[in-house]
Amino acid sequence: MKLGVVGLPNVGKSTLFNAITHAGAEAANYPFCTIEPNVGVVAVPDERLDKLAALYQSKKVTPAIVEFVDIAGLVKGASRGEGLGNKFLSHIRECDAIVHVVRCFEDENVTHVSNSVDPVADITTITLELILADIEAVNKRQDRIRNTARGGANKEAAAEYALLERLEKFLSEEKPARLFECDKNEKPFLDNLFLLTSKPVIYAANISEFDMGKPEDEIANVVKVKNHALKENSDVMVICAKTEEELSKLPPDECAMFLEELGLTESGLNRLIKKSYRLLGLISYLTAGEKETRAWTIVNGYKAPQAAGVIHSDFEKGFIRAEVVEWQTLLDCGGLVGAREKGKVRSEGKDYVVKDGDVILFRFNV
């Protein structure tokens, strides 16, 4: 899973990325200090792994991971190549979803490209640039199939062209493609366009240290971001990138004390990572034992053979059954043997839909 961290210059994007990945990406007070995208791979926080590893005294613990890509600050005109925009847009295209960092803090020492802090205007600027790039992609596809679609002899091409016309009109109204409605027969055409605005978005409302601990509905700029996100059914995450970067540098025990002083149970970054993981409809099932305790990432709705295939294709090909127990039940029973004795281990077949937190032992034969 790859998430692109985007935003206008000087909104706290690279500061947030530093905190997420400990990568030390340069955070300077001028546009385009990030030219090539910084990439960091981080673990999805999961207390279940630590508890199961302690139970089995596992030699190795492997969490699920998320890849974050820090994409250089976009500006107005990026779709036409302003600020090396085309290069940055291609980096976004490679991501599965977008974390859009929005400046919700006032700081006279940090310049703003528009010389004023207006989070909705900032969101609109970037969204419009992505829409313009998408319109260009739609037009190119129209040019490619126009002759084939003409006359209606090729029904598939005609259907796709009709979709493209509707889609172009929709985008021209400055609406992102993720809000565009189409039927199941049209969906493959839409997916093949790999549109930038079709990607799901989390808005990371970056607040000042002075606003930490305040109710979110009392921070005017956060309210603006939430009202905008509500219109497009996107999620909002309130975070202070500067504080999160400081937290990321602390040892775990000091970090916990700092969070407690702030009245928080976990860091904003952990919440962001979890929220990003869920954004794409992903869950984790677990395997546990003395050699390794591990979280395996799957799409919510996967059946047992598909989930087995994530470990190895042979597991899916030769799938016989899955022995399944809920992770907390496994802990309460003191392990698989105890869970079996209490009748808590279920034998599931090919139609079983794997649930988040299932601990599974696959039986297969190849």
Side-chain angles (χ1 to χ4, degrees):
M1 181 175 65
K2 185 182 289 188
L3 300 171
V5 184
V6 306
L8 289 172
N10 302 336
V11 298
K13 180 174 55 59
S14 290
T15 302
L16 178 60
F17 181 82
N18 290 347
I20 291 171
T21 64
H22 302 253
E26 183 183 6
N29 185 25
Y30 56 90
F32 315 123
C33 69
T34 310
I35 302 301
E36 293 299 329
N38 296 282
V39 179
V41 177
V42 291
V44 176
D46 195 337
E47 63 174 1
R48 303 171 300 189
L49 284 178
D50 295 329
K51 292 179 178 180
L52 289 170
L55 172 67
Y56 283 98
Q57 297 183 326
S58 304
K59 295 176 182 175
K60 184 179 179 183
V61 180
T62 306
I65 60 169
V66 178
E67 187 174 322
F68 282 91
V69 181
D70 179 23
I71 297 167
L74 294 169
V75 293
K76 187 174 182 179
S79 60
R80 301 188 305 275
E82 293 291 331
L84 302 179
N86 289 332
K87 192 172 185 180
F88 302 156
L89 292 174
S90 70
H91 293 148
I92 298 172
R93 203 177 299 281
E94 295 168 3
C95 295
D96 300 304
I98 294 171
V99 177
H100 186 161
V101 183
V102 186
R103 179 169 171 171
C104 292
F105 65 89
E106 300 279 354
D107 188 338
E108 62 183 18
N109 296 315
V110 180
T111 60
H112 188 285
V113 290
S114 301
N115 297 316
S116 65
V117 177
D118 185 342
V120 174
D122 290 355
I123 290 171
T124 302
T125 295
I126 285 189
T127 302
L128 182 57
E129 292 306 319
L130 300 184
I131 286 173
L132 290 172
D134 282 347
I135 290 174
E136 184 179 351
V138 170
N139 290 157
K140 284 181 179 178
R141 183 61 185 168
Q142 285 176 313
D143 291 342
R144 197 171 293 129
I145 69 167
R146 183 175 285 108
N147 290 337
T148 309
R150 188 170 291 151
N154 187 320
K155 292 184 179 180
E156 184 174 299
E160 181 180 359
Y161 197 84
L163 171 73
L164 292 171
E165 287 185 316
R166 282 173 36 226
L167 180 57
E168 182 188 24
K169 182 177 183 299
F170 185 86
L171 292 170
S172 297
E173 294 169 355
E174 300 185 4
K175 300 174 185 176
R178 58 183 167 273
L179 300 181
F180 182 72
E181 294 183 3
C182 62
D183 62 37
K184 64 180 181 180
N185 295 322
E186 296 172 321
K187 187 72 164 55
F189 297 138
L190 186 63
D191 292 342
N192 286 337
L193 291 168
F194 300 102
L195 299 178
L196 299 172
T197 62
S198 66
K199 298 179 187 297
V201 173
I202 292 177
Y203 292 108
N206 187 17
I207 62 173
S208 74
E209 295 168 288
F210 305 106
D211 286 331
M212 290 284 289
K214 288 184 182 178
E216 293 177 4
D217 60 2
E218 292 182 10
I219 307 173
N221 282 330
V222 170
V223 173
K224 291 177 183 177
V225 174
K226 285 189 170 184
N227 288 339
H228 178 87
L230 193 63
K231 295 175 184 176
E232 58 176 60
N233 199 29
S234 290
D235 212 340
V236 177
M237 173 86 196
V238 179
I239 199 165
C240 176
K242 193 172 181 181
T243 298
E244 295 298 332
E245 187 177 27
E246 292 170 2
L247 282 170
S248 72
K249 297 174 182 176
L250 296 176
D253 54 342
E254 290 184 31
C255 181
M257 289 175 60
F258 193 180
L259 286 170
E260 190 175 345
E261 290 175 7
L262 294 171
L264 303 171
T265 56
E266 64 178 341
S267 72
L269 294 177
N270 280 3
R271 289 184 287 121
L272 177 60
I273 293 167
K274 289 178 179 178
K275 192 182 284 282
S276 301
Y277 194 68
R278 292 193 299 268
L279 180 67
L280 294 175
L282 303 177
I283 62 173
S284 293
Y285 75 86
L286 313 167
T287 54
E290 185 179 336
K291 286 185 178 180
E292 182 182 32
T293 293
R294 180 165 180 165
W296 299 89
T297 301
I298 61 170
V299 175
N300 193 7
Y302 264 22
K303 293 184 178 180
Q306 290 174 290
V310 172
I311 298 177
H312 197 286
S313 58
D314 285 349
F315 282 33
E316 182 173 7
K317 292 174 185 176
F319 179 86
I320 299 173
R321 68 178 184 277
E323 296 180 4
V324 183
V325 58
E326 193 268 337
W327 76 275
Q328 185 62 57
T329 302
L330 184 64
L331 282 177
D332 295 342
C333 294
L336 196 60
V337 173
R340 280 203 178 99
E341 289 174 352
K342 295 181 181 179
K344 299 296 184 179
V345 179
R346 308 187 310 276
S347 180
E348 301 286 0
K350 293 182 177 181
D351 292 329
Y352 176 69
V353 178
V354 175
K355 297 179 178 59
D356 187 53
D358 279 348
V359 181
I360 305 180
L361 176 64
F362 291 107
R363 301 294 184 183
F364 68 100
N365 183 35
V366 290

